[in-house]
Amino acid sequence: MKLRKSEEQVPRRAVALILVLCVSGMRAETARYSVPEEAERGSFVANIAKDLGLTGEELLARQARLVPEGEKQYLQLNRHTGDLVVRQQMDREELCGQSEPCL
């Protein structure tokens, strides 16, 4: 009995998807860091590669990026070294108003 083309493709697609998910090993990581209020531009915050147990090359290969919650990008990531630095000075009142705590 000969199978139709559409019946053959579904299992192949499922197997391919499972292989891609298993082999890729990629997942999203969330990290939170404290930054002193009004830290100057260029101030070192953390080394993300070290904190995640990766090398700079691995961070670059995984296309690591920062995803800001607001419109402004306050931090900058050097994907070659893993260093996270202040890109733009932050103002607590502008970010949080009078709410406590400010996260």
Side-chain angles (χ1 to χ4, degrees), residues 2-4 7 9 12 24 26-27 30 33 37 41 43 46 49 54 62 65 71 73-75 83 87 90 92 102:
K2 190 172 182 179
L3 294 175
R4 287 184 278 161
E7 292 174 339
Q9 289 179 349
R12 287 183 186 172
S24 70
M26 297 176 76
R27 64 180 193 266
T30 301
Y33 297 97
E37 185 176 352
R41 185 175 188 209
S43 298
L54 302 171
R62 293 177 183 221
R65 61 193 172 100
E71 294 178 16
Q73 182 82 33
Y74 291 104
L75 302 173
D83 288 343
R87 178 179 182 188
M90 295 173 245
R92 184 199 174 288
C102 180

Side-chain angles (χ1 to χ4, degrees), residues 11-12 15 17 21 35 43 48-49 60 69 74 78 84 87 89:
R12 287 183 186 172
V15 170
L17 177 62
L21 293 175
V35 179
S43 298
I48 290 180
L60 184 62
E69 290 185 9
Y74 291 104
N78 181 327
L84 183 66
R87 178 179 182 188
Q89 195 172 32

Side-chain angles (χ1 to χ4, degrees), residues 39-88:
E40 293 183 22
R41 185 175 188 209
S43 298
F44 178 81
V45 176
N47 185 292
I48 290 180
K50 182 179 174 185
D51 293 346
L52 295 175
L54 302 171
T55 65
E57 294 81 27
E58 290 173 316
L59 201 63
L60 184 62
R62 293 177 183 221
Q63 299 178 1
R65 61 193 172 100
L66 300 176
V67 181
E69 290 185 9
E71 294 178 16
K72 295 183 180 178
Q73 182 82 33
Y74 291 104
L75 302 173
Q76 181 175 359
L77 174 63
N78 181 327
R79 293 193 296 175
H80 296 280
T81 64
D83 288 343
L84 183 66
V85 297
V86 175
R87 178 179 182 188
Q88 182 178 347

